[in-house]
Amino acid sequence: MMMTRRVGVVVTSSLLVFFAVVAAVLLFVPAFDHAVFMSIRHGSMGSSSSGAGNNTLTATHRKLLLRATEMEEPNRIPGEKCSKADIVINQGPTGPLPSGIPTYTVEIMNVCASGCDISRIHVTCGWFSSARLVNPRIFKRLHYNDCLVNDGKPLVNGGTLSFQYANTFLYHLSVSTVSCS
């Protein structure tokens, strides 16, 4: 009788601890996505398989890079082929350097709807600097708040340039001027 009571107390205590941990995760972990948890639990996430027997889970809710500028249809002057709105800059955090300095990945894309190549892309970038070397032919600071993309050469329609930089904070990057090629 005494042994049964002890087992009951141990089981009850274990269950209380388990539920307390689950509740703490659900309430206090900001990156926890309840909808994703439920879709995984109930098997409703998208999945696909190839002929080789590889299964891939797809999760369309994830977004690695943050859009620095919102995409909007540019107000074009009649006869103008492109505008700075045709260049989209996305960036987001990646794994830190071994020294612990945060790193960020930047993607610069030409999304010109009229099929234009865009050159002399200048970006506002403050006092941009990086603890990790950035290829100056891809992105370099010319002056305060003026960085040049692709060494001034055209970024072809649909083209994307990417690079990583390391700094203690994320730089706000936005397109300041472009030239249509």
Side-chain angles (χ1 to χ4, degrees):
M1 180 80 162
M2 190 65 116
M3 187 62 134
T4 307
R5 190 175 291 178
R6 283 185 188 163
V7 171
V9 169
V10 169
V11 169
T12 305
S13 299
S14 298
L15 285 174
L16 286 174
V17 169
F18 172 75
F19 286 119
V21 169
V22 170
V25 168
L26 292 175
L27 294 174
F28 299 113
V29 177
F32 187 79
D33 190 339
H34 303 286
V36 172
F37 174 74
M38 294 307 288
S39 66
I40 291 170
R41 185 171 166 223
H42 296 294
S44 63
M45 282 188 84
S47 66
S48 63
S49 62
S50 64
N54 295 330
N55 291 325
T56 306
L57 280 177
T58 57
T60 56
H61 69 283
R62 294 201 58 200
K63 184 175 180 183
L64 173 64
L65 302 177
L66 303 174
R67 185 170 282 198
T69 58
E70 287 299 317
M71 184 65 183
E72 58 186 46
E73 185 60 35
N75 292 327
R76 297 198 194 278
I77 298 172
E80 186 181 53
K81 284 176 57 178
C82 68
S83 75
K84 66 182 186 176
D86 292 320
I87 299 295
V88 174
I89 301 174
N90 294 322
Q91 68 175 317
T94 49
L97 294 177
S99 63
I101 299 172
T103 63
Y104 304 93
T105 297
V106 178
E107 286 184 344
I108 301 172
M109 298 174 283
N110 178 348
V111 295
C112 181
S114 61
C116 53
D117 295 344
I118 301 175
S119 60
R120 293 181 284 208
I121 301 167
H122 287 260
V123 173
T124 59
C125 57
W127 286 113
F128 181 85
S129 65
S130 176
R132 167 182 275 168
L133 180 65
V134 175
N135 184 342
R137 287 177 281 179
I138 293 177
F139 192 82
K140 70 177 166 187
R141 183 171 52 86
L142 303 173
H143 304 288
Y144 170 73
N145 223 19
D146 184 20
C147 290
L148 183 64
V149 175
N150 202 28
D151 217 15
K153 296 176 184 149
L155 180 57
V156 297
N157 183 38
T160 299
L161 289 175
S162 65
F163 64 91
Q164 288 188 337
Y165 69 92
N167 204 314
T168 54
F169 57 89
L170 181 136
Y171 284 97
H172 176 73
L173 305 174
S174 61
V175 180
S176 57
T177 61
V178 298
S179 292
C180 300
S181 299

